[in-house]
Amino acid sequence: MENWSLVSICVLFGLTARWAVSLNSYSGAGKPPMFGDYEAQRHWQEVTYNLPVHEWYFNTTDNNLNYWGLDYPPLTAYHSLLCAHVAKLINPDWVELHASRGHESYGHKLFMRATVLVADLLIYIPAVVLYSFYLSEGSNKKKVCTVLCILLYPGLILIDYGHFQYNSISLGLALWGVVVLGLGWDVLGSLAFVLSLNYKQMELYHSLPFFCYLLGKCFKQGLAGQGLFLLVKIAVTVLVTFALCWLPFLSDPGQILQVVHRLFPVGRGLFEDKVANTWCSLNVLIKIKTILSTDTQLYFRPVCLLLNDLPLPAIWFLQASTFSMLPLFLKDGLLVPYVVTSLAFLFFSIYLLSALEHCSEDKLRLGPYRRLLICMPRMDLGRVTKWKFYFSITAMAGLSFMSVALAPPAQLPDLFPLLVSVFSYLHFLGLLLYFNIVQIAEPPQSVRKNQKKSN
Amino acid sequence: MCYLYVEVHSVISIPPRLIHRGQASVYDTGCVMATPRADDWSWFPALALGVSFLKCILINAYHSTDFEVHRNWLAITHSLPVSKWYHENTSEWTLDYPPLFAWFEYSLSHVAQHFDKEMLVVQNLLYTSPATILFQRLSVIVTDIVFIYAVKECCRSVREEKGSKDLLGHPFFILAALLLWNFGLLIVDHIHFQYNGFLFGILLLSVARHLQGRHLEGALLFTVLLNLKHIYLYIAPAYGIFLLRSYCFTEDNTDGSVRWSSFSPVRLVALGSIVISVGALSFGPFIAMGQLPQVLSRLFPFKRGLCHAYWAPNVWALYNMVDKALSVLGVRLKLLDVAKLPKASMTGGLVQEFQHSILPSVSPSITLICTLLSIMPAVLSIWCRPRGARGFLRCLVVCALGSFMFGWHVHEKAILMAILPFSILAVESREDAGIFLMLTTTGHYSLFPLLFTAAELPIKVLLMLLFTLYSFTSLKKLFRGSLLNPLETTYLLGLVAVEILCEVVYPLSPWQHTMPFVPLLVTSVYCSLGVCYSFIRLYVSLLRQHGTDKHKQL
């Protein structure tokens, strides 16, 4: 079958899974007075539609910042405004100032879910397809499988279509940045990433790799000539994009300060909610590879490529990141989608990417570990890894079951969320260490040129 | 978990089997077994598990009144003694399936009590606790294992084409995908809510057994199926004539006609005893209690109405439409007096008791005669020139479709009875593939009105696109080239226009309130055209084959 039809089938399947999850509950459903992230997004539509721009980030009589005040950069606000205009056309009650607070209805839920789907379809999904086809290796079949597996990542589906958020926009824009940079269009790539950053400030985690890559590229091209020109082009692009995004706020330094204060509240911790865990986990999956060879190639290895290259560790990491959000999913009433999407993701990615077959010491690049474990030369590290994986998945399943079925002891009411957190962070640490070691230890010759593959 | 799966798959991959010729007549032309390459059927559990995950994610989707119907039956069979099962009418959804299905519900109820005992109380009408929903949905998903097994058996019976192909191009892979991921079955069973997967599993297994030459098993399975849901009486003529002709007569003359001397009374008795024993198991207790008339009255209620509330896309939908159009035209042209027309025929929509104004009214006996006339040529053809199990399968599809076309009070879901078995023929012949695409796309689209909620609209559109895209591209690749002529393609593209008209444009128009039935009418009539066309083409191909056979004999 031709590629386009296979990819379309994968995308359709991914969209069906997403919408099916969205039929379930959302964050804060039926829980006044504060509700949850769903209400926050609706409230931002209300605020941006009814109030002038200079009041969006300020505490006024009409805008109580304690009730889900805007705390994302301006692009989120503009997106909310766009959605609000559409909402007003369909049913003005949804964005009525003050009166629409806590509004919940069948039609409104459909509308909100539809906005997530549209954003996903326009931004994230095309980036995934382009990434898999232009920047990853393997046969066409493997690329199609990669598309499917990325689209089935449960964490993103459950957070965006269950809990309710728009991570697909910021992640999608960042992924566009990666794709475009991979194709050699640096200015456009930096533009995409700046847009992503202006949608969610968490993208700062990804900014270091982008910055280092582009700076390194400029250095390589020689700061006396081409490199400087490129540096200037990129700097101008970044500044102009920032300026355009922050345009309404540039007139008054007080505005800028207030927005920054909202984005980076010193009073609160950076990891306010479990949702931050996704960022913590996903951010570390973007690595830079500086190769000091004649055809210097700075190489991005986001999780997508890792899925292709090192399927088992990538799947393990992604599943651990989903598992880490279990307490949140339970709170939102998303147990069934969590179980089904996790099982489906594990099954499809292991089967389609033959993860358990590519489990030799060599394929997993466990050389450094071999050197560390010099006292046990006969141990088959590949097999050990496989069994650790099984044990880990079983433990995750067990902990999930216990969180649902058992009541925690009275003196330790948060026992299960704590166990989940500790378990997940141990995984993150271990797998982070592994990815770093693999990256550092990889010999330079293994880098291939990025080629624009035509299908 | 996946390690286990790897272990399991190596256990269940079945080595190729030899053909059983002993029980079939000489003209059994289709039993070449497909030998899976290097016993690698690992893709099959993957396909099956994949669709099962999809079914699980639809657990919280909309479900129709059929959900309550089955909950009520669980309650009746669990809480009441057998003697009351067919008398109970606390709920409007009385037991109207044959006794074996009642026993099926009874066995399910024993599992149900561990989920939520309250659902088994007859008085708890419309009880839908989360545990109830979970149990009922899971019961459909789990009983689908019968369907999955049946699909595997059908795939093993499919003709293998020579030449190495990649997996996705193999007929058995395509058949597995078309059956396991069938759009109609997914939305009727796992959203609307029914147990068709389980029932069609038995039907397809029966067909597979006939294709494999194991006719007694096939007959047994069909008898069991009839006692589970009596709608399968539609295809009983195909079974009856085929088994009589090709199983009871062990040999044919050289020209293909019946060799009366080869009649085997043993075989007839074997078949008869299967039918009687299963029937006895099923209806026996009720006959003993003298409740047979009551059971039959429940199974065959006198339902008023030529058509269901939503007109199934059959001949009668077209008939109703023509009648309506003529009456409107007649009034406009002042040929008819409005006062003399039946009430509400001008503005009334889809009512069950549709009174025809101009064309003669249609009674149940007329529909029966039409149905019998429509299936007669097909049934006669497998008597006169049997073409083995595949000829039987073709006749089965024709019977199913003929009954759909001309039957009384047909439900649109009945189209699946033609579509699912037809899939087997579609992966083996180019012409069948073309008819299949027409029938399936139209038939599946006609199921859209079943899911009328806004939340499920994206699901049905996405799944329809998924299935249609796959069926077109895979069959096109298999048979190397376009399977439909431009007219057919245009008609199918018209379905997109109908969908946009009915679900987007019309609801926003001013007529939505005065004539809310128009989208249903348009859907029904438009799809009838496609279904009728497919029926005619199928018949033409069947009669053409019959003609070729006859010609060969001369």
Side-chain angles (χ1 to χ4, degrees):
Chain A
M1 277 178 72
E2 297 121 2
N3 277 336
W4 71 266
S5 51
L6 283 173
V7 169
S8 308
I9 287 171
C10 291
V11 168
L12 286 169
F13 183 60
L15 287 172
T16 310
R18 280 158 163 70
W19 191 263
V21 169
S22 76
L23 295 174
N24 292 278
S25 183
Y26 48 80
S27 142
K31 294 188 185 138
M34 283 302 282
F35 302 94
D37 266 348
Y38 176 91
E39 167 63 11
Q41 297 284 351
R42 189 215 58 74
H43 180 67
W44 294 348
Q45 291 173 16
E46 175 197 338
V47 162
T48 53
Y49 186 82
N50 291 298
L51 301 179
V53 181
H54 60 263
E55 283 185 36
W56 289 356
Y57 288 90
F58 280 87
N59 211 352
T60 65
T61 39
D62 282 333
N63 187 12
N64 178 8
L65 289 183
N66 282 330
Y67 186 80
W68 302 114
L70 256 175
D71 52 7
Y72 282 150
L75 263 185
T76 295
Y78 303 146
H79 178 237
S80 298
L81 181 62
L82 180 64
C83 294
H85 277 285
V86 178
K88 188 85 179 173
L89 283 173
I90 304 173
N91 185 346
D93 289 341
W94 294 344
V95 288
E96 200 61 47
L97 189 60
H98 302 316
S100 62
R101 189 173 280 207
H103 182 98
E104 291 185 292
S105 67
Y106 182 81
H108 186 242
K109 182 181 172 191
L110 274 181
F111 165 71
M112 295 291 274
R113 296 294 197 200
T115 57
V116 181
L117 190 78
V118 166
D120 210 352
L121 195 54
L122 289 177
I123 301 179
Y124 181 70
I125 292 179
V128 169
V129 174
L130 285 175
Y131 181 87
S132 302
F133 273 86
Y134 287 100
L135 292 192
S136 68
E137 290 121 27
S139 66
N140 281 335
K141 284 269 159 60
K142 188 141 190 240
K143 292 180 185 187
V144 172
C145 292
T146 309
V147 169
L148 184 63
C149 293
I150 298 174
L151 288 181
L152 287 181
Y153 169 53
L156 192 61
I157 299 179
L158 290 167
I159 288 293
D160 273 17
Y161 290 86
H163 181 82
F164 200 91
Q165 282 208 338
Y166 290 100
N167 294 303
S168 56
I169 298 184
S170 50
L171 273 178
L173 285 169
L175 194 54
W176 272 106
V178 170
V179 171
V180 166
L181 281 183
L183 293 173
W185 302 330
D186 303 312
V187 171
L188 281 177
S190 44
L191 170 72
F193 183 71
V194 169
L195 286 176
S196 167
L197 191 55
N198 276 296
Y199 193 88
K200 274 204 165 142
Q201 65 274 34
M202 279 78 153
E203 287 294 328
L204 275 174
Y205 288 123
H206 298 154
S207 59
L208 194 61
F210 275 85
F211 177 74
C212 293
Y213 169 78
L214 289 168
L215 192 64
K217 196 167 179 187
C218 293
F219 272 119
K220 270 297 141 193
Q221 289 189 3
L223 270 186
Q226 280 291 340
L228 183 65
F229 185 51
L230 182 62
L231 185 63
V232 166
K233 266 200 302 191
I234 293 172
V236 166
T237 311
V238 169
L239 288 169
V240 166
T241 315
F242 260 104
L244 284 173
C245 290
W246 289 64
L247 196 61
F249 308 98
L250 289 179
S251 52
D252 178 13
Q255 284 278 332
I256 302 176
L257 275 174
Q258 174 65 3
V259 177
V260 172
H261 179 74
R262 289 297 301 166
L263 298 188
F264 303 101
V266 178
R268 307 185 310 214
L270 267 176
F271 294 101
E272 189 176 68
D273 202 348
K274 297 295 187 302
V275 187
N277 286 347
T278 323
W279 298 105
C280 171
S281 29
L282 286 175
N283 87 81
V284 297
L285 294 170
I286 301 230
K287 306 273 183 256
I288 312 171
K289 191 135 179 206
T290 313
I291 291 88
L292 301 172
S293 63
T294 47
D295 58 323
T296 312
Q297 285 286 335
L298 290 168
Y299 208 77
F300 275 104
R301 299 184 72 114
V303 60
C304 328
L305 181 64
L306 288 174
L307 260 181
N308 218 332
D309 224 11
L310 297 165
L312 190 68
I315 294 168
W316 200 348
F317 195 104
L318 291 171
Q319 189 53 46
S321 66
T322 309
F323 171 71
S324 68
M325 296 185 276
L326 175 64
L328 179 71
F329 298 143
L330 288 180
K331 203 167 81 167
D332 291 342
L334 294 170
L335 173 64
V336 170
Y338 160 74
V339 170
V340 178
T341 50
S342 300
L343 287 175
F345 173 72
L346 276 173
F347 173 73
F348 276 118
S349 47
I350 290 177
Y351 176 72
L352 291 174
L353 301 174
S354 310
L356 291 171
E357 277 114 59
H358 296 269
C359 249
S360 63
E361 226 176 88
D362 209 37
K363 288 235 168 83
L364 291 176
R365 304 188 209 159
L366 294 172
Y369 287 89
R370 165 61 60 203
R371 288 193 277 282
L372 279 170
L373 292 165
I374 205 129
C375 47
M376 287 180 273
R378 295 253 294 272
M379 203 188 326
D380 180 352
L381 287 181
R383 236 174 129 224
V384 167
T385 311
K386 233 203 269 196
W387 280 100
K388 273 164 62 174
F389 174 73
Y390 297 145
F391 175 75
S392 161
I393 298 292
T394 314
M396 285 188 217
L399 265 175
S400 304
F401 178 76
M402 286 198 296
S403 302
V404 175
L406 303 178
Q411 59 269 48
L412 297 165
D414 283 321
L415 176 67
F416 294 124
L418 187 66
L419 283 175
V420 168
S421 286
V422 168
F423 192 83
S424 313
Y425 287 130
L426 284 174
H427 276 70
F428 294 155
L429 281 175
L431 283 159
L432 269 175
L433 192 66
Y434 163 78
F435 288 135
N436 274 295
I437 290 177
V438 161
Q439 188 123 354
I440 293 167
E442 184 144 330
Q445 286 82 7
S446 66
V447 171
R448 293 143 292 246
K449 261 198 165 76
N450 270 332
Q451 284 161 0
K452 192 173 176 177
K453 293 190 178 98
S454 55
N455 279 322
Chain B
M1 180 203 92
C2 296
Y3 185 68
L4 267 171
Y5 137 77
V6 167
E7 299 293 297
V8 166
H9 112 75
S10 59
V11 167
I12 65 173
S13 81
I14 300 165
R17 294 186 46 189
L18 296 172
I19 302 162
H20 279 238
R21 280 214 181 270
Q23 288 171 307
S25 77
V26 174
Y27 283 95
D28 200 5
T29 53
C31 280
V32 177
M33 293 292 219
T35 46
R37 43 188 49 221
D39 65 68
D40 182 14
W41 278 65
S42 64
W43 55 269
F44 189 83
L47 265 185
L49 207 53
V51 77
S52 303
F53 283 129
L54 181 62
K55 294 169 187 173
C56 287
I57 206 92
L58 293 171
I59 282 178
N60 283 323
Y62 153 83
H63 52 78
S64 69
T65 48
D66 273 338
F67 183 89
E68 165 62 13
V69 168
H70 288 278
R71 185 216 61 77
N72 186 42
W73 294 356
L74 280 173
I76 290 177
T77 52
H78 190 87
S79 315
L80 301 176
V82 180
S83 55
K84 294 236 173 48
W85 285 1
Y86 284 92
H87 287 280
E88 171 59 39
N89 60 1
T90 309
S91 161
E92 59 179 305
W93 310 115
T94 55
L95 193 53
D96 56 5
Y97 278 16
L100 274 189
F101 198 86
W103 288 109
F104 168 70
E105 292 276 10
Y106 176 71
S107 43
L108 280 181
S109 70
H110 284 286
V111 182
Q113 64 188 348
H114 300 293
F115 279 73
D116 186 346
K117 283 200 160 59
E118 292 300 309
M119 79 171 102
L120 300 171
V121 176
V122 178
Q123 282 73 27
N124 281 351
L125 299 181
L126 297 172
Y127 185 74
T128 49
S129 70
T132 308
I133 295 178
L134 187 66
F135 168 72
Q136 294 250 66
R137 292 284 199 203
L138 283 178
S139 68
V140 184
I141 297 171
V142 167
T143 51
D144 266 1
I145 198 122
V146 177
F147 186 74
I148 293 171
Y149 176 66
V151 170
K152 177 138 200 204
E153 289 297 303
C154 287
C155 290
R156 287 175 55 221
S157 310
V158 159
R159 279 199 203 97
E160 171 80 26
E161 277 186 27
K162 297 286 184 294
S164 66
K165 272 197 188 77
D166 80 309
L167 176 65
L168 298 187
H170 274 289
F172 51 73
F173 179 87
I174 297 175
L175 179 64
L178 289 177
L179 287 174
L180 289 173
W181 287 73
N182 184 281
F183 168 80
L185 211 52
L186 272 173
I187 68 162
V188 170
D189 268 18
H190 301 281
I191 301 183
H192 182 86
F193 196 87
Q194 276 204 334
Y195 286 93
N196 291 307
F198 168 66
L199 296 168
F200 278 113
I202 299 179
L203 176 65
L204 286 178
L205 193 57
S206 162
V207 167
R209 290 291 177 250
H210 285 301
L211 288 172
Q212 292 162 1
R214 290 151 69 170
H215 297 292
L216 281 179
E217 287 179 44
L220 173 66
L221 286 163
F222 183 68
T223 320
V224 167
L225 182 65
L226 266 185
N227 281 286
L228 280 167
K229 194 170 178 181
H230 50 297
I231 199 175
Y232 292 96
L233 277 172
Y234 284 171
I235 51 176
Y239 268 90
I241 300 296
F242 170 68
L243 286 170
L244 193 60
R245 175 68 178 85
S246 301
Y247 183 65
C248 294
F249 291 95
T250 49
E251 284 168 22
D252 296 329
N253 291 326
T254 38
D255 66 349
S257 62
V258 172
R259 184 180 294 187
W260 296 97
S261 58
S262 72
F263 179 73
S264 160
V266 174
R267 289 187 169 189
L268 183 65
V269 166
L271 284 175
S273 51
I274 287 174
V275 174
I276 292 172
S277 53
V278 174
L281 207 66
S282 165
F283 284 89
F286 298 94
I287 296 173
M289 288 188 286
Q291 287 188 8
L292 189 63
Q294 170 67 4
V295 173
L296 289 177
S297 74
R298 284 283 174 90
L299 256 52
F300 302 99
F302 175 62
K303 271 213 174 68
R304 297 156 95 206
L306 173 63
C307 294
H308 193 42
Y310 158 60
W311 299 345
N314 60 11
V315 160
W316 306 124
L318 288 174
Y319 190 82
N320 291 350
M321 186 67 219
V322 167
D323 183 71
K324 224 184 194 9
L326 285 177
S327 61
V328 167
L329 203 64
V331 168
R332 287 274 166 84
L333 294 176
K334 306 268 194 293
L335 294 169
L336 296 168
D337 186 4
V338 182
K340 290 221 189 85
L341 288 174
K343 244 193 320 192
S345 70
M346 299 300 287
T347 55
L350 303 180
V351 291
Q352 294 208 112
E353 218 180 312
F354 188 89
Q355 287 171 294
H356 295 100
S357 335
I358 310 213
L359 300 173
S361 278
V362 178
S363 70
S365 7
I366 295 183
T367 62
L368 184 62
I369 294 169
C370 288
T371 310
L372 288 175
L373 284 176
S374 73
I375 66 174
M376 198 63 68
V379 165
L380 279 175
S381 100
I382 61 165
W383 175 269
C384 301
R385 295 281 178 271
R387 303 188 80 245
R390 270 174 176 66
F392 152 68
L393 181 56
R394 189 174 297 275
C395 178
L396 188 154
V397 174
V398 170
C399 286
L401 203 47
S403 312
F404 180 84
M405 297 288 294
F406 295 99
W408 176 264
H409 206 90
V410 168
H411 283 241
E412 61 283 351
K413 304 181 216 100
I415 195 77
L416 291 176
M417 212 191 300
I419 290 177
L420 290 170
F422 195 28
S423 315
I424 303 174
L425 294 174
V427 299
E428 289 182 341
S429 133
R430 196 200 171 78
E431 191 182 4
D432 285 337
I435 306 173
F436 173 79
L437 288 176
M438 235 348 232
L439 179 65
T440 303
T441 315
T442 316
H444 282 167
Y445 180 74
S446 73
L447 295 172
F448 265 39
L450 278 179
L451 301 186
F452 52 83
T453 46
E456 276 66 30
L457 172 63
I459 304 247
K460 72 184 182 194
V461 168
L462 288 169
L463 283 177
M464 178 79 185
L465 284 173
L466 185 71
F467 183 83
T468 311
L469 180 63
Y470 179 76
S471 56
F472 272 81
T473 46
S474 60
L475 288 175
K476 214 169 130 171
K477 182 105 190 286
L478 182 65
F479 294 109
R480 281 176 274 270
S482 181
L483 297 167
L484 298 175
N485 63 43
L487 186 65
E488 289 165 341
T489 314
T490 317
Y491 170 82
L492 289 179
L493 286 172
L495 286 173
V496 178
V498 171
E499 168 68 2
I500 296 173
L501 183 76
C502 293
E503 302 240 36
V504 181
V505 172
Y506 196 82
L508 299 171
S509 74
W511 302 294
Q512 172 65 18
H513 295 289
T514 44
M515 294 193 288
F517 57 86
V518 166
L520 290 181
L521 192 101
V522 169
T523 309
S524 174
V525 170
Y526 193 84
C527 292
S528 312
L529 296 171
V531 174
C532 290
Y533 173 77
S534 307
F535 181 61
I536 293 170
R537 268 198 70 184
L538 194 57
Y539 239 121
V540 165
S541 89
L542 183 144
L543 293 175
R544 201 185 300 139
Q545 280 179 358
H546 183 91
T548 327
D549 278 349
K550 226 174 166 163
H551 184 78
K552 272 194 195 143
Q553 303 308 321
L554 294 172

